[in-house]
Amino acid sequence: QVQLVESGGGLVQAGGSLRLSCAASGSTFSTYAMGWFRQAPGKERQIVAAISKSGGRTYYADSVKGRFTISRDNAKNTVYLQMNSLKPEDTAVYYCAASAVVIDTTVRTTSKDYRYWGQGTQVTVSS
């Protein structure tokens, strides 16, 4: 079992940047593939980015490609989401999630594949 705590959200103007962090505890972080999801009011939760357990493989939603970067530091039990060139449509609650995997290159892209979730952090981008 793993506990996840997100931080780094806030209010930023369009074009600005934020870096989200997700600290994991309670289990061996390097055995989990990780993902960032977001949910805007009235909308379904959607994948933003995902990363394999070693960090060697990543996935990005089309809407964030070229603007967001997911990374992880297994020594610090932390996954990051660097968000640049933010747009008002990026406004949402952002969640990190963990999925226990065996194969090193596995990347999970759907919410049903993730068992563990953080509490979320609000990101608001003003126009």
Side-chain angles (χ1 to χ4, degrees):
Q1 183 166 326
V2 61
Q3 293 78 45
L4 304 171
V5 178
E6 302 98 334
S7 61
L11 173 64
V12 64
Q13 288 188 333
S17 298
L18 283 174
R19 188 175 85 152
L20 305 184
S21 299
C22 173
S25 62
S27 189
T28 306
F29 180 66
S30 60
T31 63
Y32 293 89
M34 301 296 295
W36 284 98
F37 290 76
R38 67 186 181 188
Q39 187 166 20
K43 295 188 176 182
E44 292 185 355
R45 189 171 298 187
Q46 59 177 198
I47 183 76
V48 175
I51 191 166
S52 61
K53 64 179 181 177
S54 69
R57 188 176 177 194
T58 58
Y59 167 88
Y60 296 95
D62 287 343
S63 58
V64 307
K65 279 182 182 177
R67 300 189 298 124
F68 290 11
T69 302
I70 188 171
S71 62
R72 66 190 295 162
D73 186 337
N74 285 349
K76 295 183 178 180
N77 292 347
T78 303
V79 62
Y80 305 97
L81 185 68
Q82 178 67 44
M83 305 186 295
N84 299 328
S85 303
L86 282 161
K87 304 175 181 179
E89 51 264 43
D90 294 318
T91 296
V93 177
Y94 283 70
Y95 300 89
C96 72
S99 174
V101 295
V102 174
I103 299 173
D104 180 64
T105 55
T106 300
V107 173
R108 305 286 195 194
T109 61
T110 58
S111 58
K112 66 178 179 63
D113 290 326
Y114 287 87
R115 181 173 182 181
Y116 303 104
W117 294 83
Q119 82 289 350
T121 185
Q122 176 70 47
V123 171
T124 303
V125 184
S126 63
S127 57

